[in-house]
Amino acid sequence: MPTDAPAPITACWLHWLALPTGDQAAVLDAMDLTDPRPTGFSDAVQAVDDDAHDPDHGYDRVFVTPELDGWTLVVGAWCDPTEDDMPALCEQLSTRFGKAQAYYYGAQSDGSAWLVAENGHVVRRAAFTGEPDDEELTIGEPLPFEVQCRAEAGDDDEWDWLSSELAPKLAEALSINPHTLGPHTPTRGHGVLARTPQLPEA
């Protein structure tokens, strides 16, 4: 059984879900994840980054972390907050766990996106990725943390830069930031790589 300490989770294109629970079995069940295989953080981080570069099979599996300071992260391209089916999934998960948050962060200046659901309803989705449909994806009003950051940014140019980098900072304010995990992070259990319901392309 892997016993290594938490480590920062990074990838060129990082997608993750945050759920306020330590019940890994319930997370697997709620998301229809199968074939869970225990894995350590170093192997999982490598798998996540490899999958991010694989357009054919990057949606096939996710890393489900151990409980991290009261939260469980589900990490992988399948957790993209900009996908059409993600609002419904997060609403379903937030009905079960109280909250569900999906994030995207592109480390190569590819922007940020997030989706926040509480008690069965999406309260906010926003995307700042530079894509033409970013505005069409918007749901709800800016979160207080967004409003604060927008005010601190001042001009539009500064906000354009800040918003594209915002997902990890927002996650840190609302749940847990995968970039800042480490031996200091309270942990219980072990992580697993699991198969998603997403079938690979033929």
Side-chain angles (χ1 to χ4, degrees):
M1 189 71 67
T3 58
D4 62 335
I9 302 175
T10 59
C12 291
W13 303 279
L14 187 64
H15 307 81
W16 73 98
L17 273 163
L19 301 169
T21 180
D23 191 341
Q24 189 181 79
V27 171
L28 293 169
D29 176 67
M31 298 183 68
D32 293 327
L33 302 175
T34 58
D35 194 24
R37 300 187 179 188
T39 186
F41 264 83
S42 58
D43 289 340
V45 171
Q46 184 63 56
V48 165
D49 196 40
D50 288 347
D51 289 353
H53 291 84
D54 186 347
D56 294 324
H57 301 291
Y59 287 77
D60 298 356
R61 64 180 177 176
V62 289
F63 173 46
V64 184
T65 69
E67 181 180 355
L68 303 167
D69 200 16
W71 292 80
T72 295
L73 302 184
V74 183
V75 188
W78 185 62
C79 301
D80 188 345
T82 69
E83 289 289 341
D84 291 342
D85 57 354
M86 193 52 64
L89 176 59
C90 284
E91 287 181 338
Q92 172 190 334
L93 293 171
S94 70
T95 297
R96 183 160 181 175
F97 299 108
K99 299 178 181 179
Q101 302 165 8
Y103 297 93
Y104 160 72
Y105 176 68
Q108 308 296 324
S109 299
D110 292 318
S112 288
W114 50 89
L115 192 160
V116 177
E118 297 180 357
N119 300 314
H121 300 283
V122 171
V123 298
R124 178 62 167 161
R125 179 165 73 171
F128 299 91
T129 66
E131 295 296 327
D133 62 347
D134 276 355
E135 189 171 343
E136 297 174 12
L137 294 171
T138 302
I139 299 173
E141 297 300 318
L143 300 167
F145 187 82
E146 291 179 65
V147 174
Q148 175 187 336
C149 290
R150 180 66 181 88
E152 293 172 355
D155 61 45
D156 290 343
D157 288 341
E158 180 68 15
W159 173 241
D160 285 344
W161 175 84
L162 181 60
S163 60
S164 71
E165 300 283 318
L166 199 58
K169 299 173 184 176
L170 179 63
E172 188 162 349
L174 299 183
S175 53
I176 191 165
N177 181 353
H179 288 177
T180 60
L181 298 174
H184 60 279
T185 307
T187 307
R188 183 175 64 88
H190 61 270
V192 298
L193 284 172
R195 292 291 175 184
T196 74
Q198 176 74 41
L199 295 176
E201 295 292 334

